[in-house]
Amino acid sequence: MWESTDLIHWISQQMISIEGANDFGVMWAPDVVYDSQNNDYIVNWSSSTMQDNYGPKAIYYSRTSDFKTFSKAQLLYRKSDSEVIDSAMYEEDGWYYLFVKSGANPETIILLRSQQSTGPFERVIDFDESMNQIQHGKYEAPTAVRVKDQWLLFLDYYGTGAGVCSFYWKNVECRKICPQ
């Protein structure tokens, strides 16, 4: 973990300690979201675990209120028919939205939602339909920002040379903007 007061100057890296982390293979693509219901933060990441013989990856989380102490790692979301990686969670109007990269069925970004920051999550099928309307390719690393009354979703369109693509997302309608 690094800290900054201005996003330009950073202090030295610090290793954080999460109970249960020794059971994970790799822990990558960390994300953090403020949980207004619990007045703390959810840190989530992708990983496989020793418990499941380092099989398909799932999304795990830990809670913190001060970024010094962290709760025991717990499962946030597991997809029954494929691995999931690269989680990004956002809260809006009492709902927590979780973007993940699904390894299959479909092999693209999916969107989940829950009224609790730690689930259970339900699939937003309308988002699947929007992803079907864009050029097929290999997308991962979802990151979103709110711009006025809509969300802008950025995806890494890997393996194509196209670079990063962005999608304007409002009411589950997508419009793709990518380098040519």
Side-chain angles (χ1 to χ4, degrees):
M1 178 178 73
W2 291 266
E3 292 182 48
S4 174
T5 58
D6 60 10
L7 298 180
I8 296 170
H9 303 95
W10 296 85
I11 63 170
S12 299
Q13 174 180 324
Q14 303 168 50
M15 293 297 292
I16 62 171
S17 178
I18 296 176
E19 184 182 345
N22 290 340
D23 293 338
F24 292 101
V26 294
M27 298 169 69
W28 75 79
D31 182 62
V32 64
V33 65
Y34 180 70
D35 182 345
S36 60
Q37 296 170 346
N38 292 294
N39 196 31
D40 65 1
Y41 296 88
I42 301 290
V43 177
N44 59 84
W45 64 89
S46 313
S47 193
S48 57
T49 66
M50 182 172 50
Q51 190 174 22
D52 60 10
N53 201 26
Y54 302 107
K57 292 165 191 67
I59 308 300
Y60 295 86
Y61 77 95
S62 177
R63 291 184 171 280
T64 185
S65 59
D66 59 8
F67 290 91
K68 296 187 184 347
T69 58
F70 295 82
S71 69
K72 182 177 181 178
Q74 297 181 59
L75 179 67
L76 181 66
Y77 177 74
R78 178 182 304 280
K79 192 165 178 272
S80 63
D81 61 355
S82 75
E83 73 176 7
V84 287
I85 61 171
D86 295 354
S87 57
M89 188 185 310
Y90 305 92
E91 187 272 332
E92 182 171 274
D93 297 330
W95 286 92
Y96 289 87
Y97 292 89
L98 181 66
F99 292 98
V100 296
K101 197 264 192 218
S102 171
N105 306 311
E107 185 182 353
T108 191
I109 304 301
I110 61 173
L111 177 61
L112 309 158
R113 73 179 190 164
S114 174
Q115 290 188 306
Q116 303 296 317
S117 62
T118 57
F121 289 92
E122 63 185 28
R123 187 102 160 257
V124 180
I125 300 301
D126 289 343
F127 184 80
D128 289 356
E129 293 169 9
S130 292
M131 287 299 290
N132 285 334
Q133 295 173 18
I134 63 173
Q135 177 185 359
H136 289 279
K138 297 193 178 281
Y139 300 99
E140 64 181 16
T143 300
V145 294
R146 185 166 176 75
V147 179
K148 296 184 182 177
D149 66 341
Q150 63 187 3
W151 284 89
L152 180 59
L153 176 64
F154 294 91
L155 303 174
D156 179 1
Y157 189 35
Y158 68 93
T160 65
V164 174
C165 294
S166 60
F167 299 84
Y168 287 100
W169 177 58
K170 180 180 178 186
N171 299 327
V172 196
E173 294 177 18
C174 288
R175 188 176 77 221
K176 180 177 170 185
I177 302 172
C178 295
Q180 297 299 327

